[in-house]
Amino acid sequence: MTVPGAWYLVLAACLFGIGAVGLLVRRNILIMYMCIELMLNAVNLTFVTFSRMLNDLGGQDAVFFVLVVAAAEVVVGLGIIVAIYRRRSGATADDISALKG
Amino acid sequence: MLAATQLAIASAWAVYAAGALLVIGGAAGVVLGRNPVHCALSLVTTIFGIALLFIDQGADFLAAVQIIVYAGAIVILFLFVIMLLGVDRKEARSHEGPRSLLPVGVVAGIVVVVELLVLVRVHYWATGSKAVTEAANGPGENIQKLGQSIFTGYLLPFEATSALLVIAVVAAVVLVRRSAQGAEAHPQRRSAVTGRLTPPAAQGPAMAVPAVVPAGAATEHAVERDGEAR
């Protein structure tokens, strides 16, 4: 446990950035969702790293709740995706523009 | 003695490097993969890397939960949806053309990373106040300390998560339920646009009325869906 915490933070920042780029450039809704999961994981890593650096268990508690909320979010999000794909097969994020105005 | 210390340091760095390699490699696979199934498997790689780094930092219980919940439930759910909908063909290369926003997305991501790295560099995280919960490091099992913390200090949020999960399950059922069953059960169906009840006499096969989107243009998808529902 000698690796300084800053290294973990840098890794988490890179993971968050990769997830953000993927969310912005991909068109497939499912893969955009996976990129959101990447960003959530980056934040979880940051929480655990701070929990170790500051010697506070609150960070790990936060990760616990983030996991629960992520599971609920995935259930609802995939339900929406299934509903969308059922109406129009092969839809990408660009095709869902009925509210464009 | 000195060699043992050096070995410990080297092994710690090796664990960190392995975790970082798994995390970054998996993330790159998610973003760059063309096949959604490959992307989901890359996501599993990233999750295992994160779990390794959790164990490295003493969060044993969260590492186990990470693998069980993420790799065991969430990614499997992704794969179910991919297989169910048959969307595992390759994504259309729609980035070509004059309106490609790919460079904008990459630049925005780089800006995000630079901002986060600057935040890491100017480290004023430590407020100097004592931990409000228990100490994360030190003697004692990680799972015992985490359980005591959650079931005492965070009991109300923990109970609220149960309500959240129930709501999510109900929402998923409502979202995915086929509307055809509702149409058969209730002959009077509510129009999606106007909210008015349509009389049963008007609902024959001929009543493939296109839904009217707010702009006024008829969408052909609604017609297809009505036809397939019968």
Side-chain angles (χ1 to χ4, degrees), chain A residues 54-57, chain B residues 129-135:
Chain A
L54 304 179
N55 196 12
D56 188 340
L57 203 61
Chain B
S129 58
K130 281 195 183 293
V132 290
T133 52
E134 284 183 77

Side-chain angles (χ1 to χ4, degrees), chain B residues 152-169:
Chain B
T152 55
Y154 293 88
L155 185 60
L156 191 62
F158 180 77
E159 295 293 338
T161 56
S162 65
L164 176 71
L165 287 173
V166 171
I167 292 169
V169 169

Side-chain angles (χ1 to χ4, degrees), chain A residues 1-4 6-11 13-22 24-28 30-31 33-35 37-38 40-42 44-45 48-58 60-61 63-65 67-72 74-76 78-83 85-88 90 94, chain B residues 9 12-13 16 20 23-24 27 30-33 36 39-40 43 46-47 50 53-54 56-57 59 61-62 65-66 70 74 77-78 81-82 85 87 91 94-95 102 105 108-109 112-113 116-117 120 125-126 131-137 142 145-146 149-150 154 157-158 161 164 168 172 175-176 178 221 225:
Chain A
M1 217 185 283
T2 52
V3 180
W7 285 85
Y8 290 93
L9 296 179
V10 169
L11 177 66
C14 292
L15 181 60
F16 191 90
I18 292 174
V21 169
L24 290 173
V25 305
R26 294 307 296 259
R27 306 286 171 103
N28 191 326
L30 276 165
I31 296 177
Y33 236 83
M34 292 180 202
C35 292
E37 297 303 318
L38 286 182
L40 279 171
N41 272 299
N44 280 351
L45 183 58
V48 171
T49 304
F50 278 133
S51 168
R52 181 187 62 137
M53 291 170 73
L54 304 179
N55 196 12
D56 188 340
L57 203 61
Q60 297 190 17
D61 290 331
V63 172
F64 183 83
F65 289 115
L67 279 169
V68 176
V69 173
V74 162
V75 167
V76 176
L78 286 180
I80 293 173
I81 289 175
V82 167
Y85 270 102
R86 196 175 275 162
R87 282 170 198 236
R88 36 176 80 187
D94 290 343
Chain B
I9 292 174
W13 278 99
Y16 172 79
V23 166
I24 296 296
V30 171
V31 173
L32 299 177
C39 293
L43 186 59
T46 296
I47 286 160
I50 296 273
L53 295 177
F54 277 5
D56 193 28
Q57 304 197 53
F61 176 71
L62 288 177
V65 169
Q66 176 90 1
Y70 262 108
I74 292 181
L77 208 59
F78 271 115
V81 170
I82 290 171
L85 298 175
V87 291
E91 180 179 324
S94 50
H95 287 307
L102 183 64
V112 166
V113 173
L116 288 173
L117 291 181
V120 171
W125 320 299
V132 290
T133 52
E134 284 183 77
N137 309 326
N142 170 254
K145 287 190 289 190
L146 193 59
S149 173
I150 283 176
Y154 293 88
F158 180 77
T161 56
L164 176 71
L175 280 172
V176 181
R178 282 197 180 274
H221 302 289
R225 190 169 55 83

Side-chain angles (χ1 to χ4, degrees), chain A residues 23 50 89:
Chain A
L23 182 67
F50 278 133
S89 64

